[in-house]
Amino acid sequence: MTLIKSISGIRGTIGGHVGETLNPLDIVKFTSAYATFIRRNGGCGQNADFNQNRPTIVVGRDARISGVMVDNVVCGTLMGMGYDVVNIGLATTPTTELTVRILGADGGIIITASHNPRQWNALKLLNKEGEFLTAADGAEVLQLAESGDFEYAEVDNLGRYINCDEADDWHIEDVLGLELVDEDAIRKAHFKVCVDAINSVGGIILPKLLERLGVECKVLNSEPTGDFAHNPEPLEKNLSGIMEEMRTGEYDLGIVVDPDVDRLAFICEDGKMFGEEYTLVSVSDYVLSKTPGNTVSNLSSTRALRDVTEKHGGVYSAAAVGEVNVTTKMKEVGAVIGGEGNGGVIYPESHYGRDALVGIALFLSSLANKGCKVSELRAEFPDYFIAKNRIDLTPSTDVDAILVKVKEMFAKDETATVNDIDGVKIDFPDKWVHLRKSNTEPIIRVYSEAATIEEADSLGKRLMQVVYDMQ
C-alpha cells in the first residue's frame, strides 16, 4: 500500500493504515490544509453567485470505484472549514479547471489518480485560475498538513453544498468557441470514429462533444463504473481492444483517453498507433500553421515538436516534467501551444491545462482541412522513437545521490549536453536519455529517444545498468 505526498497533491492506494495509504483521516487532514492555504492566500468568496462571504471550492471526480467515498470526505471537510462547495460530480480534469474559472471560485479539487490503476485515487489541487498550484504553494499545503494548524467553522458558519450539472456543457461550449476549431469542415468530412473511454468520465462527455461536431462515434468501455476494462494508461500495450476494432476498416480515427481525460492518444484508420508523443506534435503543427509562435513541452517529450516549431519559424523551449512547470514556461515565453508528450495538449486560447477535448477538436479540424487519412497525416512528421523504462525504488535508495553521479559521469563528455533542472537529461546529437524520480510512483523513470526504438531502448538500458551498478 502506498501514500505519496507531493507539491502536486496527495495520491495513494485505498485501504490500510493511517499515514500509509489514501484513507479518510489523511484525506481530511490534506483537504483541511488546502482549505487553510486558500483562506490565508486571499480566498474570500467574491463570486457574485455565492455572496455569503464564504470562499467557494469546485469539486469534480473521475469514475473510480473509491470516488464517492473520497468525494464525500472532501466535500464534508470543506463545508466544515466554512467553504461553499460546488460539486460538479463526474467530470474530467479540464472540465473542473474551466469551471473554477467560469464560476470565479477560489479554487478546486479534482479527485482522480489519472492513469493509475483502479486501487489508486488522489486529490489534485487548483488555484483560483483553475490551474495547478505552484511548487511553492504546494509546499505550503504540505507544511500545513504536517502542522495540523486548522480552524473549523462554528455551526452558523458551515459551508453550503451546491450540486452543479452544467459543467460539461460549459466545457463543450468553450471548445466549440475556439477560433481554430473548424466545425463546418469537420461536419463536411463525415468522420466516423471509435473511442475507448476506459470506463470513466470520457464515456459521458466525449460522445456529447463529437455529436455537436457532427462526428459519428462508437464508444468502447463507455459505462463510467471505474472498473477499468484494461490498464488505464493510454499506451499501445494496453489498447489491443480498440486497435482490433480499428482494423475492421470502419473508422477514420481511433480516440483514447485516460480516466480523467487530460491525456489523449490517437489510432490510425489501419489500427496502428499514431503515437502518443505525436498528439501534441500534430495539434501544434495545425495551430502554428494558423498562428505562428513559440511552443513548450517537458524534457521527456519528443524532439519532433522542436522540429515542427522551427519549421513554422517559432522557438521551442523545454520545461521540467509536470503540468505546472510547462504552463509556467509557456507564460514566460509566450507560447501559443504546449503540453506534454504523454498526450497532453495545453492550448492557452482555452485555458492553461491539459485538455483532451481541445486536442480532439483541433486534431479533427486539421484532418478535415487537409483532407487526408490519419496515417498520411502521421507520415508528415519526423520519425523519432521513445523507449520508456523504469527502475523500482526501495526505501533505502538514495535517488539524489544516484542522479548526481550520473551527471558527473557525462559532464566531461564533449558529445553530450547535460540538463539537471529535473533529474538528469543527457542530450547527444542524435538521441537523448532522461532519468527522473516520478512524482506519482516510487520509481525512477528512464525515457530515451533515438532514430529507432531499438537504439532508444539500448540507450535507456545502458543508463539503467549504470544506476544498478551504483546501488
Side-chain angles (χ1 to χ4, degrees):
M1 296 296 184
T2 306
L3 179 66
I4 300 173
K5 302 174 184 178
S6 72
I7 57 172
S8 59
I10 186 170
R11 178 182 302 239
T13 52
I14 300 297
H17 295 285
V18 175
E20 297 178 2
T21 62
L22 191 68
N23 58 79
L25 286 179
D26 283 307
I27 294 168
V28 168
K29 182 169 71 171
F30 199 76
T31 303
S32 300
Y34 169 70
T36 302
F37 164 81
I38 292 294
R39 181 171 284 122
R40 290 184 179 181
N41 289 273
C44 54
Q46 292 299 305
N47 184 281
D49 293 331
F50 307 102
N51 56 9
Q52 304 294 316
N53 199 32
R54 286 190 294 261
T56 303
I57 302 295
V58 174
V59 177
R61 67 178 179 91
D62 71 14
R64 288 173 184 274
I65 295 169
S66 59
V68 173
M69 180 275 288
V70 178
D71 181 82
N72 286 336
V73 175
V74 166
C75 293
T77 301
L78 290 171
M79 293 167 67
M81 293 288 292
Y83 282 67
D84 284 347
V85 175
V86 178
N87 194 325
I88 62 173
L90 291 170
T92 76
T93 283
T95 303
T96 310
E97 292 169 343
L98 276 167
T99 302
V100 170
R101 197 178 69 190
I102 290 169
L103 293 181
D106 297 288
I109 296 179
I110 309 163
I111 301 168
T112 175
S114 191
H115 64 275
N116 288 116
R118 65 200 291 275
Q119 69 269 29
W120 288 76
N121 215 327
L123 307 185
K124 293 182 178 181
L125 310 179
L126 305 175
N127 62 21
K128 65 181 180 180
E129 303 299 327
E131 300 170 14
F132 289 122
L133 301 186
T134 65
D137 291 344
E140 184 175 344
V141 173
L142 285 176
Q143 188 277 324
L144 285 167
E146 290 303 313
S147 71
D149 184 16
F150 318 132
E151 183 177 353
Y152 296 96
E154 297 180 358
V155 67
D156 292 327
N157 296 316
L158 295 173
R160 295 178 298 165
Y161 182 88
I162 303 159
N163 277 312
C164 174
D165 58 7
E166 302 172 86
D168 280 0
D169 293 334
W170 294 336
H171 190 178
I172 291 170
E173 290 300 328
D174 180 85
V175 172
L176 298 180
L178 296 171
E179 184 176 353
L180 294 189
V181 173
D182 194 337
E183 287 188 64
D184 290 339
I186 295 172
R187 287 184 178 279
K188 291 176 182 177
H190 301 292
F191 289 125
K192 184 176 181 181
V193 307
C194 184
V195 176
D196 184 348
I198 192 57
N199 305 108
S200 193
V201 292
I204 300 172
I205 195 170
L206 293 186
K208 295 178 184 178
L209 172 69
L210 293 168
E211 181 181 5
R212 290 288 302 276
L213 289 168
V215 176
E216 182 181 351
C217 74
K218 176 178 180 177
V219 184
L220 307 179
N221 308 315
S222 61
E223 290 299 316
T225 62
D227 196 5
F228 306 138
H230 55 76
N231 185 305
E233 189 162 16
L235 303 177
E236 180 173 0
K237 64 182 180 180
N238 302 325
L239 302 177
S240 58
I242 187 171
M243 292 176 73
E244 182 178 350
E245 180 72 21
M246 290 296 299
R247 293 188 190 103
T248 64
E250 297 180 14
Y251 309 95
D252 300 297
L253 172 68
I255 297 172
V256 182
V257 293
D258 65 341
D260 67 325
V261 197
D262 61 358
R263 289 176 61 175
L264 173 64
F266 296 121
I267 301 174
C268 299
E269 77 286 347
D270 57 5
K272 296 180 181 178
M273 292 294 295
F274 190 81
E276 65 168 347
E277 289 287 331
Y278 286 84
T279 298
L280 176 59
V281 174
S282 59
V283 172
S284 296
D285 183 59
Y286 172 66
V287 170
L288 292 170
S289 72
K290 305 292 185 181
T291 52
N294 301 329
T295 66
V296 174
S297 65
N298 67 42
L299 286 169
S300 285
S301 300
T302 180
R303 283 183 176 177
L305 180 61
R306 177 201 63 185
D307 295 348
V308 165
T309 304
E310 292 175 352
K311 178 186 76 173
H312 289 288
V315 176
Y316 165 78
S317 300
V321 174
E323 184 171 316
V324 67
N325 297 317
V326 174
T327 57
T328 298
K329 191 69 174 180
M330 288 177 68
K331 294 173 184 177
E332 178 186 321
V333 302
V336 296
I337 191 166
E340 299 187 290
N342 61 10
V345 175
I346 302 173
Y347 187 45
E349 285 297 308
S350 175
H351 64 119
Y352 279 102
R354 293 181 299 174
D355 192 330
L357 277 73
V358 169
I360 290 167
L362 291 174
F363 185 87
L364 289 173
S365 297
S366 175
L367 197 64
N369 276 275
K370 288 178 178 291
C372 65
K373 295 180 179 179
V374 177
S375 59
E376 293 170 340
L377 178 60
R378 173 62 184 84
E380 295 182 6
F381 305 116
D383 279 327
Y384 295 104
F385 296 88
I386 291 183
K388 298 184 177 183
N389 292 292
R390 57 186 278 171
I391 300 171
D392 293 311
L393 301 177
T394 66
S396 61
T397 304
D398 189 340
V399 178
D400 293 335
I402 288 173
L403 294 178
V404 167
K405 290 180 181 179
V406 170
K407 177 184 173 182
E408 292 173 348
M409 284 183 62
F410 289 91
K412 296 181 181 180
D413 187 337
E414 295 182 357
T415 67
T417 301
V418 179
N419 186 322
D420 63 354
I421 66 170
D422 183 14
V424 177
K425 182 175 183 180
I426 305 158
D427 256 306
F428 300 97
D430 58 346
K431 55 194 173 187
W432 57 259
V433 60
H434 186 201
L435 289 77
R436 60 177 293 274
K437 184 177 180 180
S438 171
N439 291 329
T440 59
E441 299 176 77
I443 62 174
I444 294 177
R445 298 193 187 278
V446 183
Y447 287 7
S448 47
E449 182 175 66
T452 67
I453 190 62
E454 293 79 13
E455 186 179 4
D457 192 55
S458 176
L459 177 61
K461 295 278 178 36
R462 174 189 165 196
L463 267 292
M464 290 171 69
Q465 191 58 53
V466 168
V467 173
Y468 291 138
D469 291 343
M470 290 178 181
Q471 296 187 53

